[in-house]
Amino acid sequence: RPQLVSMLEEFASVGLLERVWPTDRVTMGMGVSKWMRRDLTQQLDTVTLKASFRQKVAVSDIAACLSRFQSNSVAVRMIRRRPVACSWLLEGLSLAQERGLGTIITQLILQDFRGAADDGVGRSARKLAQVIRGAPALTHFACTRFEFKQDEPRDIGEALSGCTALTSLNLDNARLQGGVRYLPGALSTCTQLREVNLRNNDMGPQGMESLFPALLCWTQLTWLDLGSNRIGPDGMRLLSQTLEKTTAMTYLDVSHSLLGEEGAEVLAAVLPKLKALQHLGAGSNGIHGRSVNVLAQGLSQCTSLTSLNLASNEIGDGVGLITEQVLGACTALVRLSFAGNQVGDVGATALASALRKGGALAHLDLMNNDMMDSGILELAGYRGTMNEGSGLVSCTALTRLDIEVNKFGTAGMTALACCLPNNLRLEELSVGANDIGVEGTEKLAIAIALLPNLTSLDVGEVALKQTGAERLAVGLKGCTALTDLKLTECNIGAGGMAALVQGLWDSSKLTSLNVSENGLRAQGAVELSELLGRCTNLENLELGENMIGDMGATSIGGAVGQCRKLRVLDLRWNQISSRGFASLIQGLQQCPALRELEMFENDILGERGADLQLDALLYACVALSYLGLADTRIRLEESQRLRSKWPGVEIACPPPGSA
């Protein structure tokens, strides 16, 4: 065991290791296979191989890697990679199965492919079906954003029919559409399924009708996501018949389903039978009018509910009625979303009254509504003095409050600032895109300094300018737990950035900073670079549209190397030339965890030979999977060379054949 831990730590240092569990589980990149000693691998009960190919790999090497784990249960994962990389992986798995190693694969997770589908995906789909047939012990299968075509779903469905031990199926955004009709017959044999995700497949009512026979067989379902399938009221009626037979259901999502009033009432009628339901997602369904009352009655019977998402409907002032019913019956409710529901001041007042029962509520999402100052005063429970009996003052367990994109100003922000110190558990706060002004920002700064657990703050799209940034910085000095700060489109300039640097000087836990569109220019980037040396935990840095130029890029490049955990860097629209890019790359080569680099609309590749620096970056940053080079004056032959050399990396630049 000590030898194994020592070796894995070495792999981690060069970016090959994804994660190590302290006991008997380990996740590693396929590239470690030739170094693994067989006697050490036999000490592990479960091994997860995370395939992260960026360049062409030998199929035999993948098979050899699997051979190291003959006595183990193996989970194979490939996440956020190009389709061609999936083809390599499936070829390797197929070869391993030919060698008799297929039975050890218990999980096959192929998720979130980057970039458009190409002809390689079609070949991969056929190879995928072959791999599934050779893995009868499969318990978990995920294939998302795969974009199946024509009769490919039939092959996959028939292959899965032999996996009778399957308990989890995820085909989110697989573009099944009409192809869903091929799945039910085969999947009816998978009677052990407990989790099914068919989100974003545009099935429609006809697809729901095709799926109906399989749903009747999945009597052990506890988790079902059919969101974004436009099933309509007719599809909801079919679904309700199956829900009556799956009383153990704990998670149900039918968001973006075009339910309307009729479908919402069908949903409400079946809710009392789902006694174990903990999460319900029914956002973006046009719920309004009479259906609001019916739905409120149905929800009052779901006493186990802990999470309710009704975002982007037309509930309006009905939010008070629903909240009153739900909080009265569901004493364990912790998450409630009414985002984008046309909630005005009348609705805010009704909601404030209902929140007196929200003692357990941890997350309240009210973004993108129409609440003005008077409504916010009621919601905050503030009428000159704090009203302890209603509003946010009653929500003492609140950890997250989203109230951005409303219509309140300084008075509303003042009321919120007065009530926030009562919510000492608050960890995430979003108040952006409201006209709170400099005075409101000052009140906010006073409040956040009193929140010891605050980790995330969003004040984006507020006209702070330099003065507002200086006021906010005073409060940030007390936010030593802060990990995420978003200040987009605040026009703070270089002076405001200098103030923020002082405010964040002791925020060593900061992992994400977004200061895009703030007119920082070169001097602002210089000020920021002073902070980067102290942000050793920084993972996400967004500096787009700040016109920092070569001088700013050079400053960032000189400091970013100390952010060795950096995963995402966005420098789009910054007037950076090849000279500034060269300095930036020198620093980024010290960031082995870098996964995404966006350089859109910068003249970084205008000089011949400048693009060769990208090879050095790709060699150094072993995790890099996305490189944004659109409108960087990259020559066609160079873009073709990069795509050919690094086929597993998504390189966003003019496609072959473009002018």
Side-chain angles (χ1 to χ4, degrees):
R1 182 76 66 170
Q3 291 175 297
L4 176 62
V5 171
S6 176
M7 184 166 56
L8 294 178
E9 288 176 348
E10 180 181 352
F11 294 151
S13 68
V14 295
L16 290 173
L17 187 65
E18 177 69 13
R19 179 180 177 188
V20 181
W21 282 268
T23 53
D24 62 345
R25 294 175 181 267
V26 60
T27 302
M28 65 190 69
M30 288 285 193
V32 304
S33 63
K34 63 183 179 183
W35 293 296
M36 291 299 294
R37 287 174 50 191
R38 185 170 179 176
D39 58 329
L40 292 177
T41 64
Q42 289 178 342
Q43 298 179 38
L44 304 170
D45 295 333
T46 300
V47 176
T48 300
L49 296 178
K50 183 175 183 295
S52 303
F53 312 132
R54 300 186 308 154
Q55 291 181 290
K56 177 66 176 176
V57 279
V59 171
S60 58
D61 286 345
I62 302 174
C65 183
L66 280 174
S67 69
R68 301 287 185 179
F69 306 103
Q70 294 184 55
S71 61
N72 307 113
S73 172
V74 176
V76 180
R77 297 176 183 268
M78 175 174 279
I79 300 175
R80 304 189 71 178
R81 292 293 163 180
R82 296 284 291 171
V84 66
C86 177
S87 179
W88 302 336
L89 173 63
L90 295 176
E91 290 283 353
L93 294 177
S94 180
L95 179 59
Q97 289 172 331
E98 292 176 6
R99 298 177 179 178
L101 300 175
T103 56
I104 66 174
I105 301 176
T106 57
Q107 297 185 28
L108 183 56
I109 312 297
L110 309 173
Q111 287 183 307
D112 194 14
F113 286 102
R114 305 298 302 268
D118 52 27
D119 58 353
V121 176
R123 294 193 298 270
S124 294
R126 291 188 290 273
K127 184 62 68 174
L128 174 59
Q130 180 180 336
V131 169
I132 295 172
R133 290 189 187 95
L138 205 62
T139 60
H140 292 71
F141 176 67
C143 189
T144 67
R145 287 188 64 183
F146 207 76
E147 300 188 17
F148 289 109
K149 293 179 175 61
Q150 298 176 0
D151 61 348
E152 290 170 355
R154 174 189 296 167
D155 296 335
I156 300 300
E158 291 176 353
L160 286 171
S161 66
C163 303
T164 54
L166 197 67
T167 60
S168 177
L169 173 66
N170 184 354
L171 292 174
D172 184 351
N173 208 4
R175 298 291 191 270
L176 291 175
Q177 298 178 348
V180 72
R181 67 183 184 275
Y182 296 127
L183 296 179
L187 291 178
S188 296
T189 62
C190 302
T191 57
Q192 301 301 311
L193 273 170
R194 292 180 175 84
E195 299 180 5
V196 174
N197 184 351
L198 295 175
R199 192 178 187 86
N200 292 306
N201 280 296
D202 198 21
M203 293 191 300
Q206 295 79 14
M208 193 64 210
E209 186 175 354
S210 298
L211 190 64
F212 182 64
L215 283 170
L216 290 175
C217 296
W218 300 338
T219 56
Q220 298 188 46
L221 269 186
T222 61
W223 202 100
L224 179 61
D225 191 339
L226 291 174
S228 299
N229 275 297
R230 304 191 304 168
I231 63 174
D234 291 338
M236 189 64 236
R237 288 190 185 89
L238 291 172
L239 178 59
S240 66
Q241 294 180 42
T242 65
L243 292 176
E244 293 176 356
K245 301 179 181 296
T246 52
T247 54
M249 186 75 69
T250 60
Y251 183 102
L252 176 63
D253 198 311
V254 288
S255 301
H256 300 272
S257 291
L258 301 181
L259 297 185
E261 286 193 87
E262 186 179 353
E265 292 179 12
V266 174
L267 172 63
V270 77
L271 287 177
K273 301 177 182 179
L274 303 178
K275 299 297 184 182
L277 192 65
Q278 297 176 10
H279 169 85
L280 175 63
S284 300
N285 274 302
I287 300 173
H288 67 285
R290 181 188 63 188
S291 60
V292 173
N293 296 331
V294 178
L295 184 60
Q297 295 174 11
L299 288 169
S300 67
Q301 304 299 311
C302 298
T303 55
S304 298
L305 208 62
T306 61
S307 175
L308 175 61
N309 181 4
L310 293 174
S312 302
N313 282 291
E314 302 168 25
I315 297 174
D317 298 337
V319 296
L321 173 62
I322 290 181
T323 305
E324 184 81 28
Q325 294 280 0
V326 172
L327 291 181
C330 311
T331 56
L333 192 76
V334 295
R335 184 182 185 277
L336 181 60
S337 176
F338 287 119
N341 264 289
Q342 305 172 6
V343 180
D345 291 345
V346 174
T349 301
L351 180 61
S353 177
L355 286 177
R356 69 184 185 276
K357 302 177 182 178
L361 198 63
H363 179 192
L364 179 60
D365 186 354
L366 295 172
M367 70 172 292
N368 195 22
N369 279 295
D370 301 322
M371 294 179 289
M372 302 177 75
D373 284 335
S374 59
I376 295 297
L377 262 64
E378 295 290 340
L379 180 65
Y382 180 80
R383 302 182 185 89
T385 58
M386 299 310 301
N387 182 354
E388 301 294 339
S390 66
L392 295 174
V393 179
S394 305
C395 302
T396 55
L398 203 65
T399 61
R400 178 173 175 178
L401 175 62
D402 297 313
I403 202 166
E404 70 267 35
V405 198
N406 273 277
K407 298 179 179 179
F408 63 89
T410 301
M413 188 67 251
T414 300
L416 282 174
C418 289
C419 84
L420 287 178
N422 290 278
N423 306 112
L424 292 178
R425 298 184 185 181
L426 198 66
E427 299 175 0
E428 302 177 53
L429 175 63
S430 298
V431 295
N434 288 292
D435 190 18
I436 64 176
V438 173
E439 184 180 349
T441 303
E442 184 175 11
K443 300 296 184 182
L444 172 64
I446 295 172
I448 62 175
L450 300 175
L451 299 174
N453 298 308
L454 191 67
T455 60
S456 177
L457 177 64
D458 181 356
V459 197
E461 300 180 55
V462 173
L464 296 180
K465 300 185 178 179
Q466 179 174 335
T467 304
E470 291 171 348
R471 305 285 174 84
L472 183 63
V474 175
L476 289 174
K477 289 182 179 180
C479 300
T480 55
L482 197 68
T483 61
D484 185 354
L485 178 61
K486 183 178 180 181
L487 292 173
T488 57
E489 298 183 61
C490 293
N491 197 25
I492 63 174
M497 190 69 248
L500 286 176
V501 167
Q502 294 302 313
L504 295 170
W505 197 249
D506 294 322
S507 300
S508 59
K509 297 179 181 180
L510 198 67
T511 60
S512 179
L513 178 62
N514 188 340
V515 287
S516 300
E517 301 181 63
N518 271 294
L520 299 184
R521 297 188 178 273
Q523 185 57 40
V526 171
E527 299 289 351
L528 175 60
S529 65
E530 295 293 323
L531 178 66
L532 293 181
R534 299 176 64 85
C535 297
T536 55
N537 291 307
L538 196 66
E539 297 180 1
N540 183 76
L541 178 59
E542 296 181 53
L543 289 170
E545 300 185 54
N546 274 300
M547 298 178 289
I548 66 174
D550 287 342
M551 179 180 173
T554 299
S555 296
I556 297 297
V560 76
Q562 299 179 65
C563 306
R564 292 184 57 81
K565 296 181 181 180
L566 190 69
R567 291 171 177 251
V568 178
L569 177 61
D570 189 339
L571 287 169
R572 70 185 69 199
W573 288 87
N574 265 302
Q575 300 179 347
I576 301 172
S577 73
S578 56
R579 179 181 176 184
F581 190 48
S583 300
L584 183 65
I585 284 183
Q586 288 182 4
L588 289 177
Q589 289 182 42
Q590 307 303 313
C591 303
L594 189 69
R595 293 186 177 183
E596 299 183 21
L597 175 62
E598 181 58 77
M599 297 300 300
F600 173 74
E601 198 64 52
N602 286 290
D603 191 16
I604 58 175
L605 299 173
E607 298 180 10
R608 183 169 293 276
D611 46 276
L612 296 178
Q613 302 168 42
L614 294 173
D615 285 316
L617 177 67
L618 286 161
Y619 276 119
C621 300
V622 295
L624 195 65
S625 60
Y626 173 82
L627 185 56
L629 298 177
D631 293 329
T632 57
R633 291 184 62 190
I634 185 171
R635 296 187 306 279
L636 179 58
E637 61 270 22
E638 291 303 333
S639 68
Q640 291 174 331
R641 182 189 68 81
L642 284 170
R643 284 196 174 103
S644 176
K645 186 172 183 179
W646 304 94
V649 180
E650 181 183 357
I651 299 177
C653 56
S658 62

